[in-house]
Amino acid sequence: GKCGSCGPGYASPLDAMKGPREEIIYVPCIYRNTGKKIPDFLATVDVDPKSPCYSQVPCVDFGKIPEFPGSVPADGGMRVWNLGCANGIRKSGNYRIFKAGKGLWAPTIPATTPVPKVVNPEDVFWKCGLGYPHTSHCLGSGEVMISTLGDPAGNGKGGFILLDAETFEVKGTWEKGDEAPPMGYDFWYQPRHNVLISTEWGIPKVLGYGFDPNDLGKGRYGRRLNVWDWSTHRYIQAIDVGEDSAPLEIRFLHNPNASEGFVGCTISSAIHRFYKTERGDWAAEKVIQVPSKKVEGWLLPEMPGFITDILISLDDRFLYFSNWIHGDVRQYDISDTRRPKLVGQVFLGGSITKGGPVRVCEDEELQSQPEPFVIQGKKIPGGPQMLQLSLDGRRLYVSTSLFSAWDRQFYPELIRDGAVMLQLDVDTERGGLSVNPKFLVDFGKEPGGPCLAHEMRYPGGDCTSDIWL
């Protein structure tokens, strides 16, 4: 059942569901675009209800990441990933890796003082011709693979960086051949079906300054799922999911035999099911559409939900996603993957709450605008964004920062007050979501001032990044 001396290394997704309850979660905290010229840091959040430090940061803390010469603040799009093998591959080092300004940091865990390893962007530029790293996964080869959004100049370009998992040396690119997609973002691979599928958000130098509706219809936002041959590393197919759909997070079902999964499209606010056809190629079909709301007092006359994160429970029964602009988190029963059924929904802020600047004129789903979300006397700024599910599927963690330039544009109160982390209780029998009123991590109270909390990761792996072979 275990694949190395460190980390749980569960043999299957169902085995992972039987693992011990999570006690800490790591969360990258961002200061970019907040006006503070201090380094970002990796927070340790105590999620053990028996601990006196429950719902606090830090309790088990290895300190802020020290600034290295010439560093600049990172942004909210960074990923945190355990390079170990909760996915049953191998343990290649007790590190966590994430983007931090001038390069990629990998502080050792545990340690009283972090010993950082830095991947300099110059090495990535010269060896790979890539920039804007995003998602990282460990490979069975003992390498780390990182997707990118573009080239060093900020133009769109889909590609992948390979690192040596022990030395963090930049080895070059994973992809081969002359063909490459015009953009990149997230990815997931499934060796049993000889496939890797990647997504595309948009052109980095466009989206990096915020969302401009004038960029729509000009090919500046992604519309494809990009299919790669896993064994030859070649780009073989593009699946069109709609102009300016901006497909972001992509998840295969966890069962390694399954040849299907789901992807969330941000701007079009749709969930597409992708699957392998009888011909052996890949296709996609829309299975969920979040209706836009006709509004006054917002950027556009119609407000999309803005699906920014999705995940699938380890038993492949439930799909979860967040509507960052509308403000709700949804739970769908996907026992029938072609016909997801909404079984849970909760509003955690967002842009359509009562008393705000936005008036909803026409809504296909709600009879009235939701009340502002208040917990422990605090009105929550922003909307639900990143998600992380406990291994047993009973607790769903939520953070509120998307990308600092977009945070500043859509939710300026996030910059002023800082992000939060919340926890939802999940009914795993019939479906259903409810807020845990005892859990609130307020990143507005950090000693360095309010910061933007993004992705959440467990030390031993989790359902949003573990890939079983």
Side-chain angles (χ1 to χ4, degrees), residues 69-131:
S71 71
V72 295
D75 212 330
M78 67 181 171
R79 294 281 166 163
V80 185
W81 168 229
N82 187 341
L83 298 188
C85 71
N87 55 6
I89 298 176
R90 65 184 293 270
K91 187 68 184 180
S92 56
N94 198 20
Y95 300 104
R96 302 186 72 83
I97 184 171
F98 60 94
K99 187 179 76 174
K102 295 286 285 186
L104 296 166
W105 285 84
T108 57
I109 297 176
T112 54
T113 302
V115 180
K117 293 189 178 184
V118 180
V119 180
N120 292 311
E122 291 81 3
D123 294 335
V124 176
F125 295 168
W126 287 109
K127 293 185 178 181
C128 305
L130 296 169

Side-chain angles (χ1 to χ4, degrees), residues 6 18 25 36 52 106 110 141 163 173 215 251 267 368 389 399 414 422 424 444 451:
C6 301
K18 301 173 185 177
I25 292 181
K36 300 176 181 63
S141 61
L163 304 180
T173 57
D215 290 326
R251 313 286 187 225
I267 299 176
S368 62
L389 188 67
S399 63
L414 264 182
L422 307 165
L424 306 181
C451 58

Side-chain angles (χ1 to χ4, degrees), residues 142-329:
E143 297 166 310
V144 180
M145 184 169 170
I146 306 172
S147 62
T148 63
L149 275 69
D151 67 14
N155 302 303
K157 182 182 180 182
F160 306 93
I161 304 163
L162 279 181
L163 304 180
D164 183 283
E166 299 291 343
T167 66
F168 285 86
E169 173 192 1
V170 178
K171 301 180 69 174
T173 57
W174 174 84
E175 64 274 15
K176 297 179 181 178
D178 297 329
E179 286 193 76
M183 304 174 198
Y185 187 72
D186 194 23
F187 74 102
W188 199 283
Y189 63 87
Q190 185 43 267
R192 294 194 186 183
H193 298 286
N194 193 39
V195 70
L196 178 151
I197 303 180
S198 61
T199 62
E200 37 184 59
W201 181 5
I203 297 174
K205 64 183 180 184
V206 172
L207 61 88
Y209 294 96
F211 175 70
D212 185 348
N214 293 319
D215 290 326
L216 299 176
K218 298 178 180 178
R220 295 171 180 172
Y221 282 95
R223 63 182 299 164
R224 287 164 291 268
L225 308 183
N226 297 300
V227 183
W228 304 76
D229 184 290
W230 178 248
S231 58
T232 66
H233 304 189
R234 294 185 181 274
Y235 180 45
I236 57 174
Q237 185 186 351
I239 305 171
D240 194 337
V241 291
E243 184 179 36
D244 294 322
S245 57
L248 294 188
E249 309 297 341
I250 186 167
R251 313 286 187 225
F252 265 90
L253 296 184
H254 292 288
N255 180 350
N257 289 320
S259 56
E260 61 179 325
F262 296 91
V263 62
C265 298
T266 302
I267 299 176
S268 65
S269 300
I271 300 290
H272 291 256
R273 168 185 171 263
F274 63 88
Y275 59 96
K276 191 174 185 178
T277 72
E278 293 181 355
R279 300 184 303 271
D281 61 352
W282 295 79
E285 60 179 351
K286 183 165 64 175
V287 292
I288 301 172
Q289 177 66 63
V290 177
S292 293
K293 304 178 187 298
K294 293 185 178 181
V295 297
E296 293 178 350
W298 196 66
L299 183 65
L300 295 168
E302 292 195 5
M303 177 190 287
F306 253 56
I307 298 172
T308 52
D309 196 18
I310 72 169
L311 62 80
I312 299 172
S313 60
L314 285 172
D315 58 4
D316 292 335
R317 183 180 172 194
F318 293 113
L319 168 74
Y320 300 85
F321 67 80
S322 56
N323 285 310
W324 189 59
I325 296 296
H326 286 179
D328 58 316
V329 175

Side-chain angles (χ1 to χ4, degrees), residues 5-41:
S5 58
C6 301
Y10 300 109
S12 72
L14 296 182
D15 284 341
M17 293 189 74
K18 301 173 185 177
R21 177 176 173 141
E22 68 282 359
E23 296 182 348
I24 59 173
I25 292 181
Y26 296 115
V27 185
C29 296
I30 316 302
Y31 280 111
R32 183 178 176 88
N33 281 319
T34 66
K36 300 176 181 63
K37 304 298 182 182
I38 56 178
D40 304 321
F41 65 98

